[in-house]
Amino acid sequence: MRIRPAVAAVSLATGLSALAASVTPTAALAADLAAPSDTVFTHVVVDGGKDIVLGLTTKKTVTITWTATDPDGVAASWAYLWHGPNTDDADGILPLYPPPGTCTVSATDPATSACKASFAVDAARDLDHNGVAGTWKVLAGAQDHTDDWTETDAAGTARVKRLAKVTVNASPEPVKKGRTVTVTGRLTRANWESGSYTGYRGRPVKLQFRKKGSSTYTTLKTVTSGTAGALRTTTRAATDGYFRFVFAGTATTAPATATGDFVDVG
C-alpha cells in the first residue's frame, strides 16, 4: 500500500512538535493529514461474475472490470489473477504478462475511474497442474497523478474450474413397459497434468427423465460415480422418453449435463 515519503513525514512531525506549544494546525492542514491517500479498488468483477471453465485446449478471453478511486486522480491502473498462498509464491498467474487497464474518468467525480482489462487464456499453455483449480485472487494496482502507487493483492476473487463431461446410455431399446431399464455413463473432467479427460470418482450424479412431448426433466434418483467415473443404475420403463445424467459441479470442477438418450417403451 502507498504511504507518504518517510523524509516528508519526519520533517512534518518535527515541525509540528516545535510549534505545538504556540501554534494550532489549521483545519485545512488537519484535514489534509487525515485524508487517506491510497487508491481504493471496488466493484471488482471477473468475467461478469461467471466461473472460468477450462478444458484441455480451451481458449477464451477473460475480462476484469473494477473501479479505482484516488483523491489525486487515477493516471493508470492494472489488474490480473493469481493463485497460491501469496503473490511471492504464486503457482499461477493469468495472464503471465498483465496488460494495462483502460480507464475512464467519471463525469461527476474526477477522483474515480472505471477500468477494464481483457486478456487471452489458453488452457494448454497457461495451466500445467490440477492444483490451481478453485479460487483465484485479483491483484489490482494503480498510479495516481502525483506518481504514487498502490497495489492490493486481494481486491477480488474468481473461480477457475476444470471442464467436466458426462455421458449416458439407456438400454435395452426398445423396452416393454414395466421392464427394467439399465442406465450407464461416465463422469470425467479435464486433467491438465495428463492432457486427457480422466474419471471423477465418488461424486453424486442425478438420473433424470423427460417424458416424450414434455420439456421438463424430473429427477429419479442420485447415484455415485465409481471407478474411473463410471455410472450405473436401473429404473422401470414407464413411457417413452429421455434419460440423462446431471452433475452439479464442485468448487474445482464445472457442472455437466449429458444429452438425453431416448428409450421407446412398447
Side-chain angles (χ1 to χ4, degrees):
M1 299 293 285
R2 185 187 61 198
I3 60 174
R4 294 183 183 274
V7 173
V10 171
S11 298
L12 180 60
T14 301
L16 290 178
S17 177
L19 295 174
S22 58
V23 179
T24 300
T26 65
L29 176 58
D32 180 65
L33 293 175
S37 58
D38 292 326
T39 304
V40 176
F41 304 99
T42 57
H43 304 98
V44 180
V45 179
V46 180
D47 239 22
K50 302 186 298 294
D51 294 341
I52 301 171
V53 179
L54 302 174
L56 300 178
T57 58
T58 305
K59 295 181 179 180
K60 66 174 300 178
T61 298
V62 173
T63 299
I64 305 176
T65 58
W66 68 98
T67 299
T69 303
D70 190 291
D72 296 313
V74 177
S77 193
W78 55 92
Y80 63 86
L81 301 175
W82 65 276
H83 181 274
N86 53 66
T87 53
D88 290 333
D89 299 311
D91 57 6
I93 294 177
L94 292 175
L96 188 57
Y97 301 101
T102 300
C103 297
T104 302
V105 179
S106 169
T108 58
D109 181 7
T112 300
S113 292
C115 302
K116 179 172 74 171
S118 297
F119 51 89
V121 174
D122 182 339
R125 177 196 65 198
D126 299 326
L127 303 174
D128 59 5
H129 67 103
N130 300 322
V132 297
T135 300
W136 288 52
K137 294 182 176 65
V138 179
L139 181 147
Q143 176 186 6
D144 70 16
H145 287 293
T146 68
D147 203 28
D148 282 337
W149 296 62
T150 301
E151 280 196 340
T152 299
D153 291 348
T157 60
R159 290 183 299 271
V160 176
K161 293 188 175 184
R162 298 161 67 175
L163 177 67
K165 297 181 178 182
V166 62
T167 60
V168 65
N169 181 61
S171 63
E173 302 174 57
V175 63
K176 290 185 177 181
K177 185 175 182 179
R179 294 291 180 87
T180 297
V181 175
T182 299
V183 187
T184 59
R186 188 175 180 225
L187 175 65
T188 60
R189 59 177 176 167
N191 187 323
W192 298 322
E193 296 171 10
S194 67
S196 61
Y197 284 89
T198 53
Y200 198 9
R201 182 178 182 175
R203 308 314 306 181
V205 179
K206 292 180 180 180
L207 172 65
Q208 297 185 337
F209 179 77
R210 174 170 65 87
K211 183 179 179 180
K212 181 180 178 181
S214 171
S215 60
T216 303
Y217 274 93
T218 300
T219 298
L220 302 180
K221 62 175 70 175
T222 298
V223 299
T224 301
S225 58
T227 302
L231 300 166
R232 183 182 180 87
T233 190
T234 59
T235 188
R236 293 292 179 183
T239 185
D240 293 354
Y242 300 82
F243 290 93
R244 72 179 185 182
F245 283 121
V246 178
F247 171 58
T250 65
T252 62
T253 306
T257 299
T259 300
D261 186 30
F262 181 76
V263 173
D264 181 11
V265 177

